[in-house]
Amino acid sequence: MPTSDSVRIAPADGKLGILIPGIGAVSTTFMAGVEAVKRGLGIPVGSLTQLATIRLGKRTDNCTPYIRDFVPLAGLNDLVFGGWDIFEDTAYEAAANARVLEPALLEKVREPLHAIRPMKAVFDSDYVRRINGPNVKQGGSKMDQAGMLMEDIENFRTSSGASRLVMIWCASTEVFHKPAPVHATLKDFECGLMKNDPEISPSQIYAYAALKSGVPFANGAPNLTTDLPALLELAREREIPICGKDFKTGQTFMKTLLAPGLKARMLGMSGWFSTNILGNRDGEVLEDPGSFKTKEETKLSVLEQILQPHLYPELYKNLYHAVRINYYPPRGDAKEGWDNIDIFGWLGYPMQIKIDFLCRDSILAAPLVLDLVLFLDLAQRAGMKGIQEWLSFYFKGPMTAPGLYPEHDIFIQLMKLKNTLRWMRGETLITHLGLEYYD
Ligand SMILES: NC(=O)c1ccc[n+]([C@@H]2O[C@H](COP(=O)([O-])OP(=O)(O)OC[C@H]3O[C@@H](n4cnc5c(N)ncnc54)[C@H](O)[C@@H]3O)[C@@H](O)[C@H]2O)c1
């Protein structure tokens, strides 16, 4: 890792190509949103790269530039999009089917979205069970499929004129799998690709193809993709930044807002019951117990890691935490998430908190996609490689170095993100100590 003095950030010249496995609700809302913002039809609400400022120096210095002016990020006009899906619908058709954005708005960005035709996907119905589509690569070993993806990547690079690429997984959640011997080393993994090892999932094949092609990779879903020794080895060897996993939106976002606050005041918690109804394709895939299990893992781990019951047994040891997701088509992408939180205070007296969050999943996820691709591209140009823990802010299950527990508290994550940007630019880190104001 270079020291702050030696971080050289290459300029964001030329176009940045965004490659997306999964042309569904999230990715089309993201792309349509970028096109709308470019035309002055909307504001990129929820995006730090577009709206947030960063404080530099002392509070009395009054120096708070926009993040986008402080670090060299690709501009929205320089983004070009491509992707893969098992369905042949263009991004315009997929966005219309997803019914997240109003038809009148979609119509205004029809042209650029219609031009995005998904490339044939690498798909395996053992990994995503509830859906099936015709736009799938046929034949060959898993290594051959990786080769075909690498060809797609190079063709996109040429046809789009992009000078740099980033890949972000926005496809369906794959079924729960644990790392297997085939994931131990890059050599084992490549051998497994050639032998069609069933433990290698499509998302791992996309990630492998991206890293081999020198393309940074982010995982927006909870499936086991790059958090494997084999792919970490490849990322380090090729000096490519990666991050994941599972966008932190909706209910888990609320959890990481509230739980650190309750814990900060040393309030106890005996139960947290979360249930959701959602009716989009994501909800349909999550009806499958294998895919739900993958999601449940990242959703459940958050509280345990925030509350640290091993350090505070009298407050959190007996916490009962449950998460349910119910597929309910009438709501489409407009999810409803209920939380019942049983807490206790002074002398153990019980209290309850109820949350009813009527949210829009893809509206919350789209700005995260934008920030992640821009920051990953920045990381690549700054020579940062491997796991980008400073991007934990965006994920339910942040990747960390092996053996290191992830930080879930969103305010610590934000501080880490901003301090990383300050570090990149050689600015003083902000510790919030503040003694200098009282000298
Ligand atoms: N919306 C959110 O707030 C949110 C939050 C966290 C995570 N996620 C995750 O993001 C992902 C996308 O969510 P969404 O609402 O857009 O889902 P979606 O079902 O609308 O879109 C996913 C798309 O991926 C395609 N797909 C499936 N397997 C594929 C493969 N192997 N290759 C290429 N395409 C494939 C599907 O055909 C579908 O069009 C899901 O895994 C979801 O769990 C979403």
Side-chain angles (χ1 to χ4, degrees), residues 158-170:
T158 314
S159 64
S160 67
S163 57
R164 307 172 315 282
L165 300 176
V166 172
M167 190 185 292
I168 185 161
W169 176 269
C170 291

Side-chain angles (χ1 to χ4, degrees), residues 21-27 84-87 121-124 128 131 169-174 202 206 220-223 246-249 280-282 285-286 295 333 361-362 364-365 396:
I23 303 299
V26 170
S27 59
W84 298 264
D85 204 285
I86 64 171
F87 297 106
V122 168
F123 186 71
D124 181 343
V128 172
I131 53 172
W169 176 269
C170 291
S172 311
T173 300
E174 296 174 329
Y206 282 97
N223 27 255
D246 202 7
F247 300 129
K248 179 154 82 177
T249 56
N280 56 16
R281 193 182 282 156
D282 186 29
V285 169
L286 291 172
K295 199 59 148 180
D333 200 66
D361 251 7
S362 303
L364 291 169
K396 288 200 212 29

Side-chain angles (χ1 to χ4, degrees), residues 359-380:
C359 71
R360 293 172 188 270
D361 251 7
S362 303
I363 293 292
L364 291 169
L368 277 53
V369 178
L370 176 60
D371 284 2
L372 281 166
V373 295
L374 297 187
F375 280 145
L376 261 190
D377 171 52
L378 172 71
Q380 170 92 326

Side-chain angles (χ1 to χ4, degrees), residues 183 189 199-209 224-225 228 231:
H183 301 125
F189 187 82
E199 289 295 332
I200 298 181
S201 67
S203 67
Q204 292 163 13
I205 302 175
Y206 282 97
Y208 173 81
L224 181 70
T225 301
L228 301 169
L231 292 180

